[in-house]
Amino acid sequence: MQTILTDFYTLTSYEKAENGSFIAYIHLNKDHDIFKGHFPGNPVTPGVCMMQIIKELTEEFTGSKLFLKSASNVKFMAIINPFETPDLKLQLDITEDLEDVKVKNVTSFGETIALKLSVSYKKLMS
């Protein structure tokens, strides 16, 4: 899997449900340089990084290179501190046609929902 977030997270496992959705489990690297600046002494996973992780996982699961077209209903509901909650569960409900991929995501740790979003990607032809 190609990633721009080098060593930022590890996909530890995933499963595909019969309805076509995916459940992915990732582990954040608390020692990544991003957390030294965001924020010193109080590390918070940047929302844009979470959005990039969702894009990269969707690319992995669909086998398509994607470009973000739109995002709606983006709700950051809890702080993701990589020292306290490095293990995340991402539910990705993926629908695709010839040109586009749509994803509804819920990201959580334990019983806490940290992020909900809906995104639309354009498939890039290689």
PDB file of all heavy atoms in Angstrom, residues 83-100:
ATOM      1  N   PHE A  83      -1.083   8.509  22.377  1.00  0.00           N
ATOM      2  CA  PHE A  83      -0.533   7.867  23.570  1.00  0.00           C
ATOM      3  C   PHE A  83      -1.626   7.167  24.367  1.00  0.00           C
ATOM      4  O   PHE A  83      -1.392   6.131  24.975  1.00  0.00           O
ATOM      5  CB  PHE A  83       0.206   8.891  24.451  1.00  0.00           C
ATOM      6  CG  PHE A  83       1.521   9.317  23.887  1.00  0.00           C
ATOM      7  CD1 PHE A  83       1.588  10.337  22.954  1.00  0.00           C
ATOM      8  CD2 PHE A  83       2.696   8.679  24.262  1.00  0.00           C
ATOM      9  CE1 PHE A  83       2.815  10.729  22.403  1.00  0.00           C
ATOM     10  CE2 PHE A  83       3.918   9.061  23.718  1.00  0.00           C
ATOM     11  CZ  PHE A  83       3.971  10.094  22.787  1.00  0.00           C
ATOM     12  N   GLU A  84      -2.827   7.740  24.364  1.00  0.00           N
ATOM     13  CA  GLU A  84      -3.927   7.184  25.147  1.00  0.00           C
ATOM     14  C   GLU A  84      -4.768   6.188  24.348  1.00  0.00           C
ATOM     15  O   GLU A  84      -5.224   5.189  24.886  1.00  0.00           O
ATOM     16  CB  GLU A  84      -4.821   8.317  25.664  1.00  0.00           C
ATOM     17  CG  GLU A  84      -4.106   9.225  26.651  1.00  0.00           C
ATOM     18  CD  GLU A  84      -4.937  10.450  27.010  1.00  0.00           C
ATOM     19  OE1 GLU A  84      -6.099  10.564  26.560  1.00  0.00           O
ATOM     20  OE2 GLU A  84      -4.407  11.303  27.740  1.00  0.00           O
ATOM     21  N   THR A  85      -5.009   6.493  23.068  1.00  0.00           N
ATOM     22  CA  THR A  85      -5.877   5.640  22.243  1.00  0.00           C
ATOM     23  C   THR A  85      -5.253   5.447  20.855  1.00  0.00           C
ATOM     24  O   THR A  85      -5.748   5.977  19.862  1.00  0.00           O
ATOM     25  CB  THR A  85      -7.279   6.278  22.111  1.00  0.00           C
ATOM     26  OG1 THR A  85      -7.141   7.624  21.641  1.00  0.00           O
ATOM     27  CG2 THR A  85      -8.006   6.282  23.443  1.00  0.00           C
ATOM     28  N   PRO A  86      -4.159   4.665  20.776  1.00  0.00           N
ATOM     29  CA  PRO A  86      -3.492   4.479  19.489  1.00  0.00           C
ATOM     30  C   PRO A  86      -4.199   3.477  18.568  1.00  0.00           C
ATOM     31  O   PRO A  86      -3.922   3.441  17.377  1.00  0.00           O
ATOM     32  CB  PRO A  86      -2.113   3.947  19.884  1.00  0.00           C
ATOM     33  CG  PRO A  86      -2.372   3.209  21.161  1.00  0.00           C
ATOM     34  CD  PRO A  86      -3.448   4.005  21.865  1.00  0.00           C
ATOM     35  N   ASP A  87      -5.104   2.679  19.121  1.00  0.00           N
ATOM     36  CA  ASP A  87      -5.767   1.643  18.325  1.00  0.00           C
ATOM     37  C   ASP A  87      -7.167   2.102  17.942  1.00  0.00           C
ATOM     38  O   ASP A  87      -8.006   2.371  18.802  1.00  0.00           O
ATOM     39  CB  ASP A  87      -5.821   0.326  19.112  1.00  0.00           C
ATOM     40  CG  ASP A  87      -4.427  -0.203  19.387  1.00  0.00           C
ATOM     41  OD1 ASP A  87      -3.664  -0.359  18.407  1.00  0.00           O
ATOM     42  OD2 ASP A  87      -4.094  -0.436  20.560  1.00  0.00           O
ATOM     43  N   LEU A  88      -7.396   2.204  16.633  1.00  0.00           N
ATOM     44  CA  LEU A  88      -8.650   2.732  16.115  1.00  0.00           C
ATOM     45  C   LEU A  88      -9.354   1.699  15.249  1.00  0.00           C
ATOM     46  O   LEU A  88      -8.717   0.892  14.581  1.00  0.00           O
ATOM     47  CB  LEU A  88      -8.396   3.991  15.282  1.00  0.00           C
ATOM     48  CG  LEU A  88      -7.641   5.132  15.962  1.00  0.00           C
ATOM     49  CD1 LEU A  88      -7.395   6.255  14.967  1.00  0.00           C
ATOM     50  CD2 LEU A  88      -8.402   5.641  17.178  1.00  0.00           C
ATOM     51  N   LYS A  89     -10.672   1.788  15.259  1.00  0.00           N
ATOM     52  CA  LYS A  89     -11.522   0.957  14.401  1.00  0.00           C
ATOM     53  C   LYS A  89     -12.202   1.887  13.415  1.00  0.00           C
ATOM     54  O   LYS A  89     -12.829   2.875  13.816  1.00  0.00           O
ATOM     55  CB  LYS A  89     -12.562   0.231  15.258  1.00  0.00           C
ATOM     56  CG  LYS A  89     -13.597  -0.528  14.473  1.00  0.00           C
ATOM     57  CD  LYS A  89     -14.624  -1.130  15.439  1.00  0.00           C
ATOM     58  CE  LYS A  89     -15.779  -1.743  14.692  1.00  0.00           C
ATOM     59  NZ  LYS A  89     -16.820  -2.223  15.630  1.00  0.00           N
ATOM     60  N   LEU A  90     -12.061   1.603  12.125  1.00  0.00           N
ATOM     61  CA  LEU A  90     -12.682   2.413  11.089  1.00  0.00           C
ATOM     62  C   LEU A  90     -13.671   1.561  10.317  1.00  0.00           C
ATOM     63  O   LEU A  90     -13.294   0.531   9.747  1.00  0.00           O
ATOM     64  CB  LEU A  90     -11.642   2.964  10.110  1.00  0.00           C
ATOM     65  CG  LEU A  90     -10.680   4.025  10.650  1.00  0.00           C
ATOM     66  CD1 LEU A  90      -9.499   3.402  11.354  1.00  0.00           C
ATOM     67  CD2 LEU A  90     -10.202   4.921   9.535  1.00  0.00           C
ATOM     68  N   GLN A  91     -14.928   1.974  10.345  1.00  0.00           N
ATOM     69  CA  GLN A  91     -15.927   1.316   9.516  1.00  0.00           C
ATOM     70  C   GLN A  91     -16.056   2.116   8.236  1.00  0.00           C
ATOM     71  O   GLN A  91     -16.266   3.336   8.280  1.00  0.00           O
ATOM     72  CB  GLN A  91     -17.274   1.236  10.216  1.00  0.00           C
ATOM     73  CG  GLN A  91     -18.316   0.573   9.335  1.00  0.00           C
ATOM     74  CD  GLN A  91     -19.625   0.341  10.057  1.00  0.00           C
ATOM     75  OE1 GLN A  91     -19.669   0.248  11.281  1.00  0.00           O
ATOM     76  NE2 GLN A  91     -20.696   0.245   9.297  1.00  0.00           N
ATOM     77  N   LEU A  92     -15.897   1.444   7.106  1.00  0.00           N
ATOM     78  CA  LEU A  92     -15.961   2.103   5.801  1.00  0.00           C
ATOM     79  C   LEU A  92     -17.067   1.448   4.988  1.00  0.00           C
ATOM     80  O   LEU A  92     -16.945   0.292   4.582  1.00  0.00           O
ATOM     81  CB  LEU A  92     -14.629   1.951   5.059  1.00  0.00           C
ATOM     82  CG  LEU A  92     -13.383   2.478   5.776  1.00  0.00           C
ATOM     83  CD1 LEU A  92     -12.119   1.995   5.089  1.00  0.00           C
ATOM     84  CD2 LEU A  92     -13.400   3.972   5.851  1.00  0.00           C
ATOM     85  N   ASP A  93     -18.151   2.183   4.778  1.00  0.00           N
ATOM     86  CA  ASP A  93     -19.223   1.712   3.906  1.00  0.00           C
ATOM     87  C   ASP A  93     -18.952   2.296   2.531  1.00  0.00           C
ATOM     88  O   ASP A  93     -19.111   3.497   2.313  1.00  0.00           O
ATOM     89  CB  ASP A  93     -20.590   2.152   4.441  1.00  0.00           C
ATOM     90  CG  ASP A  93     -20.881   1.556   5.816  1.00  0.00           C
ATOM     91  OD1 ASP A  93     -20.453   0.419   6.068  1.00  0.00           O
ATOM     92  OD2 ASP A  93     -21.529   2.242   6.624  1.00  0.00           O
ATOM     93  N   ILE A  94     -18.499   1.434   1.615  1.00  0.00           N
ATOM     94  CA  ILE A  94     -17.999   1.867   0.311  1.00  0.00           C
ATOM     95  C   ILE A  94     -18.986   1.480  -0.782  1.00  0.00           C
ATOM     96  O   ILE A  94     -19.401   0.325  -0.863  1.00  0.00           O
ATOM     97  CB  ILE A  94     -16.627   1.220   0.019  1.00  0.00           C
ATOM     98  CG1 ILE A  94     -15.612   1.622   1.090  1.00  0.00           C
ATOM     99  CG2 ILE A  94     -16.136   1.587  -1.379  1.00  0.00           C
ATOM    100  CD1 ILE A  94     -14.286   0.862   1.012  1.00  0.00           C
ATOM    101  N   THR A  95     -19.349   2.462  -1.601  1.00  0.00           N
ATOM    102  CA  THR A  95     -20.123   2.187  -2.814  1.00  0.00           C
ATOM    103  C   THR A  95     -19.362   2.802  -3.979  1.00  0.00           C
ATOM    104  O   THR A  95     -18.789   3.890  -3.848  1.00  0.00           O
ATOM    105  CB  THR A  95     -21.552   2.779  -2.746  1.00  0.00           C
ATOM    106  OG1 THR A  95     -21.478   4.169  -2.485  1.00  0.00           O
ATOM    107  CG2 THR A  95     -22.377   2.095  -1.666  1.00  0.00           C
ATOM    108  N   GLU A  96     -19.346   2.090  -5.096  1.00  0.00           N
ATOM    109  CA  GLU A  96     -18.593   2.609  -6.241  1.00  0.00           C
ATOM    110  C   GLU A  96     -19.302   2.301  -7.539  1.00  0.00           C
ATOM    111  O   GLU A  96     -20.068   1.345  -7.652  1.00  0.00           O
ATOM    112  CB  GLU A  96     -17.160   2.077  -6.258  1.00  0.00           C
ATOM    113  CG  GLU A  96     -16.999   0.589  -6.353  1.00  0.00           C
ATOM    114  CD  GLU A  96     -15.536   0.163  -6.365  1.00  0.00           C
ATOM    115  OE1 GLU A  96     -14.750   0.710  -7.171  1.00  0.00           O
ATOM    116  OE2 GLU A  96     -15.191  -0.724  -5.582  1.00  0.00           O
ATOM    117  N   ASP A  97     -19.038   3.161  -8.520  1.00  0.00           N
ATOM    118  CA  ASP A  97     -19.475   2.917  -9.881  1.00  0.00           C
ATOM    119  C   ASP A  97     -18.236   3.061 -10.776  1.00  0.00           C
ATOM    120  O   ASP A  97     -17.112   3.018 -10.279  1.00  0.00           O
ATOM    121  CB  ASP A  97     -20.630   3.843 -10.286  1.00  0.00           C
ATOM    122  CG  ASP A  97     -20.291   5.329 -10.189  1.00  0.00           C
ATOM    123  OD1 ASP A  97     -19.097   5.684 -10.362  1.00  0.00           O
ATOM    124  OD2 ASP A  97     -21.200   6.143  -9.959  1.00  0.00           O
ATOM    125  N   LEU A  98     -18.427   3.230 -12.056  1.00  0.00           N
ATOM    126  CA  LEU A  98     -17.284   3.275 -12.972  1.00  0.00           C
ATOM    127  C   LEU A  98     -16.343   4.441 -12.703  1.00  0.00           C
ATOM    128  O   LEU A  98     -15.141   4.333 -12.919  1.00  0.00           O
ATOM    129  CB  LEU A  98     -17.773   3.342 -14.420  1.00  0.00           C
ATOM    130  CG  LEU A  98     -18.419   2.059 -14.957  1.00  0.00           C
ATOM    131  CD1 LEU A  98     -19.002   2.287 -16.345  1.00  0.00           C
ATOM    132  CD2 LEU A  98     -17.411   0.927 -14.980  1.00  0.00           C
ATOM    133  N   GLU A  99     -16.886   5.596 -12.261  1.00  0.00           N
ATOM    134  CA  GLU A  99     -16.067   6.794 -12.126  1.00  0.00           C
ATOM    135  C   GLU A  99     -15.817   7.241 -10.694  1.00  0.00           C
ATOM    136  O   GLU A  99     -14.832   7.915 -10.429  1.00  0.00           O
ATOM    137  CB  GLU A  99     -16.724   7.955 -12.889  1.00  0.00           C
ATOM    138  CG  GLU A  99     -16.772   7.740 -14.395  1.00  0.00           C
ATOM    139  CD  GLU A  99     -17.383   8.938 -15.118  1.00  0.00           C
ATOM    140  OE1 GLU A  99     -17.690   9.946 -14.461  1.00  0.00           O
ATOM    141  OE2 GLU A  99     -17.541   8.849 -16.348  1.00  0.00           O
ATOM    142  N   ASP A 100     -16.730   6.908  -9.779  1.00  0.00           N
ATOM    143  CA  ASP A 100     -16.679   7.477  -8.436  1.00  0.00           C
ATOM    144  C   ASP A 100     -16.730   6.410  -7.349  1.00  0.00           C
ATOM    145  O   ASP A 100     -17.235   5.306  -7.571  1.00  0.00           O
ATOM    146  CB  ASP A 100     -17.850   8.443  -8.223  1.00  0.00           C
ATOM    147  CG  ASP A 100     -17.837   9.610  -9.193  1.00  0.00           C
ATOM    148  OD1 ASP A 100     -16.768  10.220  -9.360  1.00  0.00           O
ATOM    149  OD2 ASP A 100     -18.889   9.909  -9.783  1.00  0.00           O
TER     150      ASP A 100
END
